[in-house]
Amino acid sequence: MDKKAYICYKDKYMKRFASEAIQPGHAKYEQSVSRQQAIYKKTEDIRTDFSRDYNRILHCNAFRRLKHKTQVFYATMNDHICTRIEHVHHVEAVSRTICEELGLNAELATAIALGHDLGHAPFGHEGEKVISKLSKEHLNHTFWHERNSLRVVDSIESLPDLQGVEQPLNLTYAVRDGIISHCGEVDQNGLKPRSEAIDLNAIRYPNEYAPFTWEGCVVKIADKIAYLGRDIEDAQRLNILTNEQVKELNDIIRQKYPSVTESVFTTSLMHNFIIDLCENSSLSDGLMLDSATFGLMKSIKDFNYQYIYSHPRIRRYNRYVELILSTLFQFMLEMYDGENTAVNIEKECSQYPELQDSFGDWTRKYSVQNGNKSTFAIFDLTSKESYIDSVLTYLSLTTDQYAMRLFGEVIHF
């Protein structure tokens, strides 16, 4: 394609969403940049509110732990298999490209993308299922990582202020909204943002509401674009997929979707999905793919579930994950002793130094003890329900390797 033709091609969709970018002057801007409390600002700071959020997420411990959390294949010793932190950066890159082409605020989208999985459980979606099962059994409500991610950025993670005092991340409303609204597991085309600002803590289940901003909608779609092809590449690298199965997928593509993509390599899929989305999206119709591309996306997702996510090796690992998390939960649940719980934790953990250090620190920072409430105290150790919530939240924020280390510590003599 020559330069003139390329410019005409890009003009078909470039910047067509610019009027809806969350920038000063937009009707949603003030709500989008609002924070739960006032935040300090350095006099020479040149960053926008969303750029500050990006950096605050980047520097928090929950983000650092993502490098040791499963995307699909847990605790792999292969350095080239995707982990949760790499997935997050893929979502960030896809979101940035789409926003820059459509004229939306890329800084907002990348901040949402960077923080969208901060509350994801260890061991990928299987870890989430196990913790959700325990939560349903003991607390009568499910665990879902989007809501947990909001809790992480609102109440768990902290950074020192200019005086060195630990303070909550205190992110903007638009970033917090994009985090809890990012669920990308639902097959959905023609995505548009909701109009009203709501209490984010009142959201009851994943995908209950569309994101508040177009940028949040972009991240929601980018989350799916980012993982489909990469999961196939990793499965091939680990010999999860056979040559016959890959041939079957290629046959599906050649027969049903010859105009969409030439291969299932993640870079090719990402490119074609992004271009198609930019070409077919509009303010009136929403963010959408054409029918053929949307069909291909669903076909690849179905293929992945059949041949990758349901593979016998994955099912064996799932049983191991349930053993690890349920064993740790039961061991820690037995430490509950009403008003004596804090003392009992110290006593019971005395022969388990790893657990004593981390869970002991956790309860001291995030729980009310002897009537004393720290800045970050959100659990009450004297309440069994609150204690269970504390244990499940603690387990949800461990990495694969750390959960395995704790498991090894509590089962060995």
Side-chain angles (χ1 to χ4, degrees), residues 11-64:
D11 283 346
K12 289 193 299 181
Y13 57 81
M14 189 175 181
K15 311 299 182 188
R16 68 170 62 154
F17 282 68
S19 63
E20 293 302 315
I22 301 299
Q23 301 283 7
H26 190 280
K28 290 183 176 180
Y29 179 75
E30 292 304 321
Q31 174 64 38
S32 294
V33 297
S34 64
R35 301 180 188 271
Q36 293 178 295
Q37 61 191 54
I39 190 171
Y40 71 90
K41 187 172 183 179
K42 299 173 182 176
T43 55
E44 70 277 14
D45 205 334
I46 60 176
R47 299 170 297 171
T48 66
D49 280 293
F50 302 136
S51 179
R52 290 190 73 185
D53 281 0
Y54 182 95
N55 288 331
R56 293 178 75 77
I57 293 168
L58 184 67
H59 292 296
C60 77
N61 285 330
F63 178 76
R64 294 165 181 160

Side-chain angles (χ1 to χ4, degrees), residues 61-78 81-85 117-131 238 314 317-318 320-325 328 354 394-409:
N61 285 330
F63 178 76
R64 294 165 181 160
R65 289 194 296 269
L66 294 180
K67 64 179 175 287
H68 293 306
K69 286 196 173 188
T70 289
Q71 176 60 19
V72 174
F73 304 102
Y74 87 108
T76 174
M77 300 305 290
N78 189 317
I81 298 301
C82 189
T83 62
R84 185 66 53 179
I85 200 168
D117 272 353
L118 289 181
H120 211 294
F123 307 109
H125 286 287
E126 188 60 29
E128 182 171 13
K129 289 178 185 177
V130 174
I131 292 176
L238 294 173
I314 296 290
Y317 130 71
N318 288 348
Y320 182 47
V321 168
E322 182 163 17
L323 176 64
I324 290 173
L325 293 177
L328 289 173
E354 193 84 64
Y394 167 81
L395 290 175
S396 77
L397 299 182
T398 60
T399 63
D400 299 5
Q401 288 88 342
Y402 196 71
M404 291 167 69
R405 280 164 55 190
L406 293 179
F407 176 71
E409 184 177 62

Side-chain angles (χ1 to χ4, degrees), residues 141-209:
H141 62 75
T142 57
F143 170 93
W144 40 293
H145 76 268
E146 296 91 345
R147 182 178 183 84
N148 200 46
S149 294
L150 181 67
R151 173 183 258 187
V152 167
V153 299
D154 281 357
S155 306
I156 303 294
E157 285 300 317
S158 61
L159 290 173
D161 61 17
L162 295 179
Q163 286 71 47
V165 179
E166 291 291 317
Q167 300 288 352
L169 292 190
N170 192 21
L171 304 181
T172 60
Y173 179 86
V175 173
R176 295 170 59 240
D177 168 83
I179 287 172
I180 195 173
S181 304
H182 81 262
C183 177
E185 294 303 307
V186 179
D187 292 321
Q188 188 174 0
N189 216 8
L191 184 61
K192 297 179 181 179
R194 68 176 192 275
S195 57
E196 74 281 5
I198 60 175
D199 177 2
L200 301 179
N201 288 299
I203 297 177
R204 298 166 297 173
Y205 51 83
N207 213 46
E208 181 180 6
Y209 293 96

Side-chain angles (χ1 to χ4, degrees), residues 65 71 86 137 191 213 232 241-242 268 307 348 377 409:
R65 289 194 296 269
Q71 176 60 19
E86 185 180 342
E137 179 182 348
L191 184 61
T213 65
I232 293 171
L241 286 178
T242 65
S268 179
Y307 292 116
E348 294 299 320
E409 184 177 62

Side-chain angles (χ1 to χ4, degrees), residues 245-271:
Q245 290 164 344
V246 175
K247 181 180 181 300
E248 177 182 332
L249 180 58
N250 285 327
D251 287 344
I252 292 173
I253 292 173
R254 283 193 294 268
Q255 293 169 13
K256 292 187 176 181
Y257 312 104
S259 63
V260 179
T261 186
E262 59 280 359
S263 79
V264 294
F265 290 123
T266 186
T267 52
S268 179
L269 284 178
M270 282 185 184
H271 170 82

Side-chain angles (χ1 to χ4, degrees), residues 69-105:
K69 286 196 173 188
T70 289
Q71 176 60 19
V72 174
F73 304 102
Y74 87 108
T76 174
M77 300 305 290
N78 189 317
D79 292 338
H80 302 131
I81 298 301
C82 189
T83 62
R84 185 66 53 179
I85 200 168
E86 185 180 342
H87 164 73
V88 162
H89 283 306
H90 284 164
V91 177
E92 178 191 348
V94 172
S95 300
R96 180 189 299 108
T97 301
I98 294 171
C99 284
E100 288 176 347
E101 289 303 302
L102 295 181
L104 293 168
N105 189 327

Side-chain angles (χ1 to χ4, degrees), residues 219-231:
V219 175
K220 186 179 176 74
I221 294 177
D223 191 22
K224 185 178 292 186
I225 291 175
Y227 77 74
L228 289 173
R230 184 55 201 270
D231 290 355

